[in-house]
């Protein structure tokens, strides 16, 4: 914590009521105790310290105004740098559902957070329109992230205005993929250029593709899949500079789901990954939806608006939420591994409640 704060040029006097390192802890606690006021968060954070006598002297809870000024002085950079420093895949080879063969299963997706309706937030993040072309009640910040399917750990993320496409933000993440990763993505992530950008670092891909996209059969394979080519949308007729892909088509045994699924993958050898196994594997992508539910419903609170009225505060708050989620998921993975369980069998809701109780009883730093 101190190293990251110093690297971001935010080091300050430790004898002040709100030195930078304490403000970082406060912002994390603010996201852990989402919905509580500033002063109440400060009380909860230091509640256990008086009882444990972990510092000498008295410490008065700062006012809401003082905390707001301290947050503004800190800025988002230390939280962003801290997330980059600690966020990583958690699964080991023994973690159930985390690997397929040599590949670590990763997924990419995006979401938005409502932010306060201030002039600064509207100007920076924009306000989306409804299907009736009416303005939404709140501006929104867009977040695109990579997550490990087996543990729900978010390993990297990119933020931007709601007017910025998920595809643009996704390009910032592909450099974090490696040769042993298999990236799963839904139909929203499409296009030859994005496909090549995602696989440039050696990662393999398994993406669902839109039903109207033309995929000519170049070679039928023994497992029922076939080789085809994708081209840039502007090059549909000439089909110049194509990229070879393998196509897997299947339907679900569900009366309400008649449309076939179509997947494309960089894994061209059916012996390395049979079509039936990849079709079953693709639905691991929905683990990301569970991750977003944990982050936005159980941690932040259902339908809650972020509290920061400035763009810098919003970014600081989002990075803090991502850090808290990663910390909870790290605890869950460690507990599951010690008990020989699948992390999916543990309750995120119970885990975050436990973390909230422990923070108030065992705070380990001195203001």
């Amino acid at each position: 914590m101190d190293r990251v704060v110093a690297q971001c040029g935010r080091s300050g006097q430790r004898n002040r009521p709100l030195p930078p390192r304490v403000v970082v802890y406060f912002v994390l606690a603010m996201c852990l105790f989402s919905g509580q006021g500033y002063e109440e968060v400060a009380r909860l954070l230091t509640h256990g310290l008086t009882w444990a006598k972990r510092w000498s002297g008295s410490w008065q809870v700062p006012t809401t105004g003082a905390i707001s000024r301290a947050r503004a002085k800190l800025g988002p950079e230390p939280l962003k740098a801290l997330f980059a420093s600690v966020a990583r895949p958690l699964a080991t080879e023994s973690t159930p559902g985390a690997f397929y063969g040599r590949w670590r299963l990763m997924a990419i997706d995006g979401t938005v957070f409502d932010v306060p309706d201030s002039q600064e937030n509207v100007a920076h993040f924009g306000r989306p329109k409804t299907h009736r072309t009416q303005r939404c009640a709140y501006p929104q910040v867009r977040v695109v992230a990579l997550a490990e399917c087996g543990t729900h750990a978010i390993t990297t993320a990119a933020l931007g205005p709601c007017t910025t496409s998920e595809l643009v933000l996704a390009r910032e993440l592909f450099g974090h993929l490696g040769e042993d990763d298999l990236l799963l993505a839904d139909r929203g992530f499409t296009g030859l250029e994005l496909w090549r950008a995602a696989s440039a670092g050696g990662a393999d891909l398994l993406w669902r593709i839109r039903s109207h996209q033309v995929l000519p059969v170049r070679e039928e394979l023994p497992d029922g899949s076939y080789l085809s080519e994708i081209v840039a949308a502007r090059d549909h007729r000439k089909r110049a500079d194509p990229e070879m892909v393998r196509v897997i088509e299947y339907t679900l045994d569900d009366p309400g789901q008649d449309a076939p699924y179509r997947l494309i993958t960089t894994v061209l050898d059916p012996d390395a990954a049979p079509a039936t196994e990849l079709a079953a594997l693709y639905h691991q992508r929905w683990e990301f939806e569970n991750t977003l539910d944990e982050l936005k419903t159980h941690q932040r609170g259902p339908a809650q608006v972020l509290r920061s009225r400035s763009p810098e505060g919003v970014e600081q708050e989002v990075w803090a939420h991502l850090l808290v989620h990663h910390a909870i998921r790290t605890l869950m993975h460690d507990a599951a591994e010690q008990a020989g369980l699948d992390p999916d069998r543990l309750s995120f809701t119970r885990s975050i409640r436990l973390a909230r109780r422990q923070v108030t009883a065992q705070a380990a730093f001195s203001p």
Side-chain angles (χ1 to χ4, degrees):
M1 181 78 73
D2 291 334
R3 175 179 55 82
V4 168
V5 169
Q7 288 176 349
C8 293
R10 299 298 196 277
S11 298
Q13 297 180 13
R14 296 178 61 91
N15 58 355
R16 290 181 176 178
L18 287 171
R21 68 190 301 266
V22 172
V23 181
V24 173
Y25 280 116
F26 173 84
V27 176
L28 295 175
M30 181 184 74
C31 295
L32 179 62
F33 298 103
S34 182
Q36 300 292 338
Y38 275 4
E39 295 181 21
E40 180 63 18
V41 170
R43 292 188 184 96
L44 290 169
L45 187 61
T46 57
H47 174 74
L49 296 178
T50 302
W51 173 81
K53 297 181 180 180
R54 295 190 179 175
W55 80 87
S56 59
S58 62
W59 187 75
Q60 185 175 359
V61 174
T63 64
T64 297
I67 295 172
S68 296
R69 290 189 293 272
R71 281 192 59 201
K73 186 176 181 180
L74 181 71
E77 290 79 9
L79 278 299
K80 180 179 180 180
L82 184 60
F83 181 77
S85 177
V86 303
R88 55 180 176 79
L90 302 175
T92 64
E93 293 182 358
S94 61
T95 304
F99 292 88
Y100 172 69
R102 67 176 180 84
W103 292 287
R104 183 187 300 271
L105 301 181
M106 303 292 294
I108 186 169
D109 207 347
T111 189
V112 293
F113 289 84
D114 290 338
V115 302
D117 188 12
S118 66
Q119 292 182 354
E120 295 84 354
N121 284 344
V122 172
H124 185 82
F125 295 114
R127 191 197 309 268
K129 294 182 179 180
T130 68
H131 65 283
R132 296 180 179 178
T133 70
Q134 297 174 344
R135 294 195 311 167
C136 289
Y138 297 101
Q140 292 180 337
V141 56
R142 189 179 302 283
V143 181
V144 177
L146 290 176
E148 187 179 44
C149 295
T151 64
H152 296 197
I154 296 175
T155 60
T156 186
L159 317 183
C162 69
T163 53
T164 302
S165 166
E166 288 186 352
L167 308 186
V168 173
L169 294 176
R171 290 177 176 273
E172 301 180 26
L173 310 181
F174 294 147
H176 295 267
L177 295 170
E179 294 182 356
D180 294 328
D181 292 324
L182 178 62
L183 180 65
L184 314 180
D186 204 355
R187 291 171 293 184
F189 295 86
T190 185
L192 176 63
E193 292 182 358
L194 196 72
W195 180 265
R196 286 176 170 168
S199 58
D204 282 297
L205 313 179
L206 180 64
W207 293 8
R208 189 179 176 187
I209 199 166
R210 291 187 172 95
S211 59
H212 67 266
Q213 186 158 346
V214 177
L215 293 172
V217 178
R218 298 306 186 204
E219 180 183 346
E220 295 184 355
L221 299 174
D223 65 345
S225 61
Y226 61 91
L227 298 182
S228 185
E229 298 170 344
I230 57 173
V231 295
R234 63 181 179 275
D235 214 14
H236 174 65
R237 293 187 179 275
K238 295 182 179 180
R239 304 196 70 82
D241 191 27
E243 184 80 15
M244 183 70 71
V245 297
R246 179 166 155 232
V247 184
I248 300 162
E249 296 184 354
Y250 63 98
T251 56
L252 298 178
D253 187 12
D254 183 354
Q257 182 62 259
D258 297 330
Y261 274 68
R262 290 204 304 170
L263 310 178
I264 57 175
T265 179
T266 55
V267 184
L268 305 182
D269 182 4
D271 292 333
T276 54
E277 294 184 8
L278 289 181
L281 184 69
Y282 172 74
H283 294 272
Q284 287 287 327
R285 194 206 72 80
W286 292 102
E287 296 293 342
F288 205 117
E289 303 297 329
N290 295 332
T291 300
L292 294 179
D293 181 66
E294 295 166 359
L295 182 63
K296 297 181 65 176
T297 302
H298 302 290
Q299 180 176 307
R300 180 203 58 176
Q304 283 198 19
V305 180
L306 298 183
R307 67 179 79 203
S308 305
R309 300 186 63 83
S310 70
E312 294 79 10
V314 168
E315 293 180 12
Q316 181 190 78
E317 193 172 349
V318 171
W319 289 117
H321 268 296
L322 294 173
L323 277 160
V324 170
H325 182 271
H326 195 277
I328 300 299
R329 270 292 162 185
T330 300
L331 291 173
M332 293 174 66
H333 171 263
D334 292 347
E337 188 172 43
Q338 292 178 18
L341 297 174
D342 186 337
D344 288 345
R345 296 191 60 187
L346 303 187
S347 167
F348 182 85
T349 302
R350 291 184 177 181
S351 298
I352 197 168
R353 288 172 180 169
L354 174 64
R356 287 166 178 161
R357 291 196 299 269
Q358 292 300 309
V359 164
T360 58
Q362 298 182 15
F365 70 94
S366 167

